[in-house]
Amino acid sequence: MTSLLDDFLSGDPSRVLHATWETIASRDTAVLRPLVRAASRIRRATDGLDLGGIIYANRGHLEHALDKLAQFGAGECWCAGYVGILTFDPRKEEAVAHVRIVSTSEPGWSMTYECECVVCGLTFDVEQGDYHFMWWRWVPRGAIRPLPRR
């Protein structure tokens, strides 16, 4: 089995995307620490790589994964990763105990959620929308907070 770093450095778009999604989803410090240290190598190895994407350019997901590594390296709470990407479904985040849904608007294609991070307590207004795919825009009420001491 290859490491995520190997996947990022491979030059193979499918492996880079696999590593991207694994990084975005991970809260495992043992997995993320080596990637933080190698972020500049990852950026150089993936610069100019065509990652495709039909509705949304996959390059944006890679940039989000690199942003997550920077945020983790700076000690920001995991919830910092919700901002700037449209793929975090509040219901799935609640199901894995990452957030608590405080309230919702009436159910439908377009609705809103109020969510609270279970790690730092920061509250987010989350807008759900649908165009060619279902998406969620997370807007923090206040500044992103640090992770508790690791």
Side-chain angles (χ1 to χ4, degrees):
M1 174 177 265
T2 64
S3 72
L4 292 182
L5 181 55
D6 291 336
D7 287 344
F8 273 124
L9 301 178
S10 71
D12 177 343
S14 64
R15 288 180 64 190
V16 170
L17 288 174
H18 165 76
T20 295
W21 288 112
E22 291 294 315
T23 299
I24 289 171
S26 181
R27 289 189 175 193
D28 184 338
T29 59
V31 168
L32 297 176
R33 276 193 188 106
L35 298 176
V36 169
R37 290 190 295 271
S40 61
R41 286 177 57 206
I42 294 168
R43 191 170 295 282
R44 282 191 307 273
T46 57
D47 187 41
L49 187 62
D50 182 3
L51 298 174
I54 296 172
I55 297 171
Y56 186 84
N58 287 325
R59 167 88 26 208
H61 300 302
L62 171 62
E63 291 301 321
H64 187 76
L66 291 167
D67 287 346
K68 177 179 179 165
L69 294 175
Q71 292 161 345
F72 172 67
E76 292 181 358
C77 184
W78 300 115
C79 67
Y82 294 139
V83 179
I85 193 167
L86 302 175
T87 58
F88 286 107
D89 180 339
R91 296 163 300 178
K92 290 181 180 177
E93 292 303 296
E94 184 177 57
V96 293
H98 292 171
V99 300
R100 182 176 68 85
I101 296 174
V102 176
S103 66
T104 65
S105 64
E106 290 294 318
W109 289 107
S110 295
M111 59 185 290
T112 58
Y113 298 82
E114 178 184 353
C115 297
E116 179 182 71
C117 175
V118 300
V119 175
C120 74
L122 184 62
T123 301
F124 289 82
D125 293 314
V126 183
E127 173 191 6
Q128 175 180 296
D130 179 37
Y131 186 57
H132 290 290
F133 62 94
M134 187 74 73
W135 55 264
W136 299 268
R137 179 175 294 120
W138 293 68
V139 178
R141 291 184 188 170
I144 298 296
R145 300 175 182 162
L147 272 172
R149 305 282 280 168
R150 308 180 225 166

